[in-house]
Amino acid sequence: PRTRLQASLDSFLADRSAAKLFYDGVTDGALKSYAGDALPDNSLDDQKKISALVDYMHTELMKKSMMADYTDEAAPLGDEFDDFIEEGRKMLAISHSRVCGGSDEVAVSETVWPALAELFKDEKEDSGILCLLPDFNSDPATFLDQEVVEPLSQMGFGDRLEACVYAKKDGAPHNSFRIIVSPSAVPADAPNKSDDKDTM
């Protein structure tokens, strides 16, 4: 019998042709084939928008660095330091960046899903995508949850996604989101280089 989950995925796909094209290539929770057209290279204008967002992300990361710097040196390394390292690793994981036009969910989804296909058709751990939604007028967090994370989870990708929103209302230059695939955990005890015999 069809589950309620499948029914909700089917109704989502009914008016999301790009998502349907993505779904048609999914087997056992992985994108095995993709029949959609490749997106064109980012235009110069797109690259400028991406660059502005990356600058913003870098500024936010440096704020975490300052918080890590202002902790007492004698104190054990705390959450501030972990947050800084973790966020830095996630920024380095971004392997694709796309500007997705459209002011509503249906229009934006037509570019977001081919962009997700770029990431998932050659899926690797610790890889990710940054999607900018410069013309999108609604809440980017709701879009990410309902239009991206929930459908991907229903398709079998959910256990290896880490998603994050950059909202214009919080200071980002454009509403945007990031998805990291299978992010590896920060090692609890990263070995100190000087203890590594191979460096002798």
Side-chain angles (χ1 to χ4, degrees), residues 22 31 116-123 152 157 161 179 181:
F22 181 101
L31 186 63
L116 292 169
E118 290 180 331
L119 177 65
F120 285 105
K121 69 184 173 194
D122 188 23
E123 186 179 327
L152 279 172
F157 294 87
L161 300 181
I179 289 190
V181 182

Side-chain angles (χ1 to χ4, degrees), residues 77-156:
L77 294 177
D79 292 344
E80 297 88 359
F81 189 75
D82 288 347
D83 290 349
F84 171 65
I85 298 286
E86 178 87 5
E87 186 59 23
R89 286 165 58 103
K90 286 174 182 169
M91 281 177 69
L92 290 172
I94 293 166
S95 48
H96 299 76
S97 300
R98 283 292 176 187
V99 175
C100 302
S103 58
D104 63 48
E105 287 77 5
V106 175
V108 171
S109 120
E110 289 305 297
T111 322
V112 163
W113 283 92
L116 292 169
E118 290 180 331
L119 177 65
F120 285 105
K121 69 184 173 194
D122 188 23
E123 186 179 327
K124 295 180 182 72
E125 283 187 6
D126 284 313
S127 60
I129 190 163
L130 200 54
C131 287
L132 284 68
L133 320 173
D135 307 316
F136 186 63
N137 296 324
S138 302
D139 177 36
T142 304
F143 176 84
L144 177 61
D145 285 346
Q146 295 177 358
E147 300 278 331
V148 179
V149 174
E150 186 58 34
L152 279 172
S153 297
Q154 291 178 16
M155 292 179 200

Side-chain angles (χ1 to χ4, degrees), residues 11-26:
S11 71
F12 168 80
L13 296 172
D15 61 350
R16 304 285 190 282
S17 57
K20 175 80 170 76
L21 210 51
F22 181 101
Y23 178 65
D24 288 345
V26 173

